[in-house]
Structure formats: structure tokens, C-alpha cells
Amino acid sequence: LASVVRCGTIDNDFFPNARKAYGSMKTLDVNGGTGHSRILVGERLANLPQYLPPGRTVIVTDTIVRKLYETQFPEVDMVTVGVGETAKTLASAQDIYGALIDLEADRTTFIVGIGGGIVCDITGFVASTYLRGVRFGFVATTLLAQVDASVGGKNGVNFRGFKNMVGVFNQPEFVICDLEMLRTLPRSERHSGFAEIIKHAAIGDSALFDFMERNLHGADTLDASVIERFVSDSVTLKADIVSRDEKEAGERRKLNFGHTLGHAIERTTGVSHGEAVAAGMVFAADLSVSRGLLDRAEADRLSALIAAYGLPVSIPADPTALMAALRRDKKRAGEGIHFVLLEGLGKAVVLEIPVAELELAISERK
Amino acid sequence: LASVVRCGTIDNDFFPNARKAYGSMKTLDVNGGTGHSRILVGERLANLPQYLPPGRTVIVTDTIVRKLYETQFPEVDMVTVGVGETAKTLASAQDIYGALIDLEADRTTFIVGIGGGIVCDITGFVASTYLRGVRFGFVATTLLAQVDASVGGKNGVNFRGFKNMVGVFNQPEFVICDLEMLRTLPRSERHSGFAEIIKHAAIGDSALFDFMERNLHGADTLDASVIERFVSDSVTLKADIVSRDEKEAGERRKLNFGHTLGHAIERTTGVSHGEAVAAGMVFAADLSVSRGLLDRAEADRLSALIAAYGLPVSIPADPTALMAALRRDKKRAGEGIHFVLLEGLGKAVVLEIPVAELELAISERK
């Protein structure tokens, strides 16, 4: 039912308008239950028109991306949303529905989200529900969106402060990952991307883990070949997992490595997603060592990599508040909490951890 | 990819809790791209628990259905929405999301909508988007919902007064069509159901058309065998069409017979959906005669059946307003408007009619 196909050049049957072959671009095809998606790593925003079907297109973007890149946008109608997690609401979705109606967008209209994860999540949700669904694609402009939000077909909005309470699973037709656009990204946003790439390496790609250790300088200067490998290896890994488990029934849970406690830290302390996930990964690795699954030396290697990429290995937070946040986590089932642990660098395992064991580990957290 | 399977008894593999075989019940399986749905014509609300999976269930219903039938509901949590088309909004959807959060409904929660088309449409949309989708089923309590909204996987809400602007395609796991519940239905609602059944007969089932002509009294008294045939034949026909064309790319358009002008009449004059569709069907039949597709005698037979079932054959409306409403119709594509015409009683054809021809026909409408 699901498969991942890798290919190096553009397939004219799939995108009839894309006539050129791009030497340095990597393409990845993801076939999921909700459709077919092509991730284009190293493609440029300027080439977006080549991927658009004939007919009407509407762009959805945010105020910052618009300010920085509007001159490179194709000349089509545009809807702009606010910036940040607070913009990821049904109110923003309704603003976009309203704008689409004003623009008389119909079932044949193609929608392109240009922005980070928030723009992609809202755009994917609106496109999946406007007139019961129209076609859509993304230009992912942040490292986090390129390695994470671009793949997997998850979209949606927050509701009453709860993350992603309302949404659907639906794949974009294409995702352009323009690596040059990362140069305008604030350093903190870049680090959030690094956190997810470290996560991908830790759960399933020890070669990427080694590569990250060796290429700290290239990463820091956004060296094209280094970042291309970070993004394409991340996309490959995530796409492989998602293709096997689109609806998060099993294996996809591995992608929550560092996120179960990470989300609780994020909600409790207000630190950034990347920082919270980094600390969450260190906690999960320590728990893996306590359980005898992982060598201490490997856990230390993970902590060292996280620190080297400018991310925190621990974030102080009240244990009681963390447990309360964990209990509200929507992924809970029964008495235990599904938790992703490591059996080695590049090898994750999902276990149901008793709440009492988690409570103890959290209370002993440094 | 898609198929319809008919079967007369309950399949224990599909509903492991349903152990009895019901002599007079008809079951219909619909396999669409978005899932598998079973329609149970003649099943009773009281037997609902047998179709629920183990674990948590939440009921969504409206104030009227609750008042009439709450004593027959299983003892589970319940969310109540308002009555009528004005309740079919994102605001109602948000009320339900909020209630589900308050009830701590999670991904394993099963949602049952008990009500007419509006309750089913909202419930299907909320269930398809809460936590990116949870499992759901319906108890359809109106004739219109049983013959129309129950099949096809369309769900959604209105937005800024436009019908069904926001929604998704997603099949309920089951639809219980309890024919006894129709006894509490107001006469006007019953007529709206008859309008859709006449539509189904006209576009694809001449035997049902004959049966409707012969069984006016049985229909009027809600004779069980008559209504069961009306509902099961309608469901069969609609399920066949939907299974072949879930996303309304082609053949499914036939189900819009009477609806293209009908929606315009409904919006312009405020008459009920059933009345507007009835007048729309007569208009479409007359246009079919003008185009030489249909004999006048057959068009007259359709008008006679519509009148016999208490529905209007014409509704006065301003031609200019009707055209303006038609142009805004979301199903338009290019210069013409897709219109469903008849080539005979039981045989529909979809043609793109030039706007000018429609304008003339509407201006000459009686």
C-alpha cells in the first residue's frame, strides 16, 4: 500500500511543466494512504511555477516570509497570515477560507503554502477542507519545516491552547526545500531544525549521526552539501517510517523521540520546541541507560552532539507540572505512557512505561 | 478500488458485538477510497450498542432528537447541538471540539451522530478532524438523512452562508436507518426525503419510479415495507454511484439532478430544500424535453409523481437573482454549467450547458 521511491531527476509525467534536470537537487517520492508527495531538496523558490498545474493558484504565506521573499513569488493571488504559534488557530483558518471565497477560489484552485511549519500546517488543513479538499503543495522555508513538517501529511491547528487538536492526514503534492532560504533564518530557528535532525539520526541513521559529529562547522555556515545531506537524509528516514505507518498506529511513534517529555517541558516552561525536544532526548537516553537498553557512552555521545549544535541538554522544570502535562498528553493509552527509548545510536524502540517509573525518573532529573 | 457488496445478515467479523440476525433488516456495504461503510436499513436505535467498538463512545445529537429519543440512547457521554441549518457552522464544530476536550476524548474514542443530515454532517466533520480523525458512525433519524446524507462520505459545515464550504470526504463506519423514528418526523421533512427518493428513481431506477407511483398510500402512512424499499433502493443507487466516483469527478454529478437550479431557488426564495429540488427537477426535465432528450410524456409523469408526493412542480423566483446564484455555484467550471438532464425516466446524463441557454430557459420558466 505504501512505498518510498527515490529518484534523482524530475519525472516529466509527474510534473509536466518541469522540463529541466537539476544537477544538485535530490527528489524523494512518498506514497502514503492519503496520496503521493514529492520532496524536492535543493530546489529553488524561483522555480515554483514549474510545479504548478495549469489554472488558478493562490499562495498562503506569513508576514515575515512575504517581506523577505515576495519579489521571488510568482504573480498570483496571495493570502497572508500572522507569525507564530498563536496564529495556528481556527481563526486564522477562517480568515483564509474567507479570503479564498473573496477570491472566488473553486475546486480547481491549487494552493501553495510558503513558510515554516505553522504556515504549512494551516495551509494543509485549509486546503484539505476548503470545498472538501483542493490540491496543494508547499515551499518549506525553515530547517524545521524542511526536515519535519514537510513529510508525513500531518496538518492542522491548535485549539484552546492544545497543539494540533484539529486537523487531518493529507499529503501535499510537492514540497520545495529551498536551502538558500535558510540563510535568513534566525539562529534559534536553525537550532530547532538541528534538534529534529539529531532526533532522526538517533532513532534511525547512525551514519547521519557520525556525519553530524564531523560536520559541525559546515552546519554552522550552512554549507550547501552539508545541509543538503541533513535535509535529504532526514526526509528519507521520516518518509520511510511514515510510508509504513501513516496514521501513527505503531512505528511512527519513534518520531516522538524526545517529544513526549519535550512537549511537557515546552508547555511548562515556555522554551522553544527545539530546546525542549533536545532536553527531552537527553532524558529519554538517560532512561534508556537506566533500563539497561543503552550504553552510558552512547548516551553521552548524544548529549555531546546536542550541546555541540547549540542546544540545551537539560531544562529545569517542576516535576509535578511536568507529570500533569504528560498525563494530558493525547498519546496516552491505559496506565502507561508510550515512550521512545534507544537501544543504540540509530536504533529506537517504543515501550509503554509505567507512570510511576516516569514519575521517579522525572523527579530525579537534573 | 471501490465496490458495493450487498448482504442480508450481519457479518460477525465486521461487527463482532452484533450476534443476532435481523429478519427484516437490509444491510449494504459501501467501499470507498476513504473507507468502508455499512448501511443498516430497518435496524433500530435500541440496537446501537451492538455496533459500537469496545471502549469509549460519545454521542452527538440535537435538542429535538434528544428530547424525543434520549431514553433509548445508550448510557454514554453526549454533546447536544442546536437545530437547523444555522447550527451547521464552524462555531458548532468548535463547541463539539471543546466538549470532547472537556470529556477527555482521545484517539480511541468512537463518536456517534444521532440525527438528521445536519447532525450527521457536523458529526462527520468533527470526527474526521478531532485529533486528525477518530472513528465514527451515524443513526440517521430523518428520511432525507437516511436516503441521502447517510451515503457518500460527504461531511462539513456552512461558512459565511455558503453551504458546505468547509468539510472533508470520509465514510462513517455504519449508518443505522431506523424507519420507526420517521413516525415523529414533521410532514414537511418527510416530503424533503420523498424529493430525494424521486430524484434517485428519476436518474437511475425506473422500477423504483413505478413502485413510487403505485405505493402513494403506503408512503403516506409510512408502511414499513414501502419505506424500506424507498430507503434501501435509494441507498443502493447512491452507493453504486458514489463507489464509482467518490470525489465527484464525473458520474456522481448525476446526484445533482434538480439541485443546480434547486440550490439557487432555495437561496433566492428561502423555501425548503425538498421543495426547491422538486421544482429544480421539473425545470431540468423541461430542459431535457427542449433539447430533444426526453419525451414530453415522461417529463409529465415526473411532474405528476412530484405533485402526488406533496411537492411543488414550480416555485416563482426572480430570473436575474436565480442566474446570479447559479453563477456563484461552486460546481461551475469554465463558460458552461454542468447540468443533469434526463434521457428517460431512470436515465440521467450530465452536460455542460451554455450560460446563455440556461438564462433563456430560466427566463421562460413558469
Side-chain angles (χ1 to χ4, degrees):
Chain A
L1 240 169
S3 65
V4 180
V5 182
R6 280 161 207 83
C7 46
T9 54
I10 290 295
D11 169 1
N12 285 346
D13 288 342
F14 191 54
F15 292 115
N17 297 324
R19 296 219 169 72
K20 292 182 232 160
Y22 300 94
S24 68
M25 187 174 72
K26 285 198 181 174
T27 64
L28 256 132
D29 284 3
V30 186
N31 293 308
T34 58
H36 180 113
S37 190
R38 177 164 288 188
I39 320 292
L40 304 134
V41 180
E43 183 51 290
R44 306 298 310 276
L45 167 61
N47 292 323
L48 169 61
Q50 302 185 25
Y51 300 94
L52 300 175
R56 185 87 179 277
T57 294
V58 174
I59 287 173
V60 178
T61 190
D62 68 27
T63 48
I64 291 180
V65 174
R66 180 177 179 169
K67 194 172 171 188
L68 289 168
Y69 293 103
E70 183 173 0
T71 55
Q72 296 178 40
F73 286 3
E75 289 188 14
V76 300
D77 289 310
M78 184 167 30
V79 181
T80 309
V81 297
V83 173
E85 197 73 24
T86 51
K88 198 176 147 180
T89 58
L90 278 172
S92 294
Q94 291 183 66
D95 288 344
I96 303 172
Y97 294 136
L100 291 172
I101 291 172
D102 292 341
L103 292 168
E104 298 191 13
D106 65 18
R107 289 179 187 180
T108 67
T109 301
F110 192 94
I111 300 185
V112 180
I114 306 183
I118 291 163
V119 165
C120 292
D121 279 5
I122 303 179
T123 303
F125 178 67
V126 167
S128 299
T129 52
Y130 181 69
L131 298 176
R132 298 196 192 93
V134 298
R135 297 171 63 185
F136 67 105
F138 298 145
V139 179
T141 62
T142 68
L143 191 55
L144 185 57
Q146 291 182 1
V147 302
D148 193 38
S150 66
V151 192
K154 281 187 178 182
N155 59 57
V157 296
N158 305 329
F159 185 77
R160 289 202 191 161
F162 292 98
K163 283 193 150 192
N164 303 314
M165 285 305 281
V166 176
V168 298
F169 286 94
N170 198 16
Q171 307 269 5
E173 293 190 16
F174 63 79
V175 184
I176 289 176
C177 299
D178 184 337
L179 307 177
E180 286 301 312
M181 293 175 90
L182 303 179
R183 299 205 174 276
T184 53
L185 206 60
R187 184 160 287 267
S188 65
E189 294 258 353
R190 203 189 287 181
H191 287 164
S192 286
F194 289 146
E196 295 295 330
I197 300 165
I198 292 171
K199 181 194 79 178
H200 290 143
I203 64 170
D205 190 342
S206 61
L208 176 61
F209 197 95
D210 298 345
F211 183 81
M212 291 193 82
E213 288 182 324
R214 289 196 311 273
N215 288 279
L216 190 59
H217 179 71
D220 200 47
T221 56
L222 291 176
D223 178 278
S225 65
V226 171
I227 300 298
E228 189 193 85
R229 171 132 180 215
F230 282 11
V231 175
S232 60
D233 284 7
S234 282
V235 165
T236 302
L237 181 117
K238 185 166 180 189
D240 273 331
I241 291 176
V242 168
S243 293
R244 286 195 293 268
D245 178 22
E246 193 176 33
K247 297 270 173 98
E248 199 162 345
E251 195 188 351
R252 189 165 179 166
R253 289 203 178 106
K254 289 182 182 173
L255 294 168
N256 290 326
F257 179 59
H259 281 62
T260 309
L261 188 71
H263 277 151
I265 292 174
E266 192 178 351
R267 276 208 290 270
T268 310
T269 67
V271 300
S272 79
H273 181 74
E275 291 171 329
V277 167
M281 288 193 285
V282 174
F283 173 80
D286 287 344
L287 190 59
S288 307
V289 173
S290 304
R291 284 211 153 207
L293 295 169
L294 185 72
D295 289 341
R296 167 49 55 197
E298 291 188 299
D300 288 346
R301 240 180 105 191
L302 177 64
S303 298
L305 188 69
I306 286 170
Y309 275 82
L311 290 157
V313 295
S314 183
I315 291 169
D318 174 50
T320 313
L322 283 180
M323 276 314 296
L326 266 182
R327 281 178 206 276
R328 293 211 70 167
D329 193 289
K330 63 181 186 244
K331 289 166 201 78
R332 76 180 183 287
E335 286 308 296
I337 291 183
H338 282 109
F339 216 87
V340 189
L341 300 176
L342 296 184
E343 295 185 315
L345 292 175
K347 194 167 181 214
V349 60
V350 184
L351 294 176
E352 196 169 325
I353 307 276
V355 168
E357 182 179 345
L358 271 183
E359 241 163 3
L360 183 67
I362 286 174
S363 69
E364 289 173 346
R365 228 176 122 249
K366 278 162 231 129
Chain B
L1 239 168
S3 65
V4 181
V5 183
R6 279 161 208 84
C7 46
T9 55
I10 289 295
D11 169 2
N12 284 347
D13 289 341
F14 192 55
F15 293 114
N17 298 324
R19 297 222 167 70
K20 293 183 231 159
Y22 300 93
S24 68
M25 187 173 74
K26 286 198 181 174
T27 65
L28 255 132
D29 284 3
V30 186
N31 293 308
T34 57
H36 180 112
S37 190
R38 177 165 288 189
I39 320 292
L40 305 133
V41 180
E43 182 52 289
R44 304 299 310 276
L45 167 62
N47 292 323
L48 169 60
Q50 302 184 25
Y51 300 94
L52 300 175
R56 185 86 179 277
T57 294
V58 174
I59 287 173
V60 178
T61 190
D62 68 28
T63 48
I64 290 179
V65 174
R66 180 176 179 169
K67 194 171 170 188
L68 289 168
Y69 293 103
E70 185 174 359
T71 55
Q72 296 178 40
F73 286 3
E75 287 188 16
V76 299
D77 289 310
M78 183 168 29
V79 182
T80 309
V81 297
V83 173
E85 197 73 23
T86 52
K88 197 176 149 181
T89 59
L90 278 172
S92 294
Q94 291 184 67
D95 288 344
I96 303 173
Y97 293 137
L100 291 172
I101 291 172
D102 292 342
L103 293 169
E104 298 192 13
D106 65 19
R107 289 181 186 176
T108 66
T109 301
F110 192 94
I111 301 185
V112 180
I114 306 182
I118 290 163
V119 165
C120 292
D121 278 5
I122 303 179
T123 303
F125 178 66
V126 166
S128 299
T129 52
Y130 181 70
L131 298 176
R132 298 196 192 93
V134 297
R135 297 171 63 186
F136 67 104
F138 298 145
V139 178
T141 62
T142 68
L143 190 56
L144 185 58
Q146 293 182 358
V147 301
D148 193 38
S150 66
V151 193
K154 281 188 178 182
N155 58 58
V157 296
N158 305 330
F159 185 75
R160 289 201 190 161
F162 293 98
K163 281 193 153 195
N164 303 313
M165 285 305 279
V166 175
V168 297
F169 287 94
N170 198 18
Q171 306 269 7
E173 293 189 18
F174 63 79
V175 184
I176 290 175
C177 299
D178 184 337
L179 306 178
E180 286 302 311
M181 293 175 90
L182 303 180
R183 298 206 174 276
T184 54
L185 206 60
R187 183 160 288 268
S188 65
E189 295 258 353
R190 202 189 287 181
H191 287 165
S192 286
F194 289 145
E196 295 295 329
I197 300 164
I198 292 171
K199 181 194 79 177
H200 290 142
I203 65 170
D205 191 343
S206 60
L208 177 60
F209 197 97
D210 297 345
F211 184 81
M212 291 192 82
E213 287 183 325
R214 289 196 311 273
N215 288 279
L216 191 59
H217 179 72
D220 200 47
T221 56
L222 291 176
D223 178 278
S225 65
V226 171
I227 299 297
E228 188 193 84
R229 170 135 181 213
F230 282 11
V231 176
S232 60
D233 284 6
S234 281
V235 165
T236 302
L237 181 117
K238 185 166 180 189
D240 273 331
I241 291 177
V242 167
S243 293
R244 286 195 294 266
D245 177 24
E246 193 178 31
K247 296 273 173 94
E248 198 161 345
E251 193 188 353
R252 188 165 179 166
R253 290 204 177 104
K254 288 181 183 174
L255 294 169
N256 290 326
F257 178 59
H259 281 62
T260 309
L261 188 73
H263 277 151
I265 292 173
E266 192 178 352
R267 277 208 290 271
T268 310
T269 66
V271 299
S272 79
H273 181 74
E275 291 172 329
V277 166
M281 288 193 285
V282 173
F283 173 80
D286 287 345
L287 190 59
S288 307
V289 173
S290 304
R291 283 211 154 206
L293 294 169
L294 186 72
D295 289 342
R296 169 48 56 196
E298 292 188 298
D300 288 346
R301 240 180 104 190
L302 177 63
S303 299
L305 187 69
I306 286 169
Y309 276 82
L311 290 157
V313 296
S314 184
I315 290 169
D318 173 50
T320 312
L322 282 180
M323 276 312 297
L326 266 182
R327 280 179 206 275
R328 296 210 69 167
D329 192 288
K330 63 182 188 244
K331 288 167 201 81
R332 76 180 183 286
E335 287 308 297
I337 291 182
H338 282 109
F339 216 89
V340 190
L341 300 177
L342 296 184
E343 296 184 316
L345 291 175
K347 194 167 178 214
V349 60
V350 183
L351 294 176
E352 196 169 325
I353 306 276
V355 168
E357 181 178 346
L358 271 184
E359 241 164 1
L360 183 66
I362 286 174
S363 69
E364 289 173 345
R365 229 175 121 249
K366 278 162 233 128

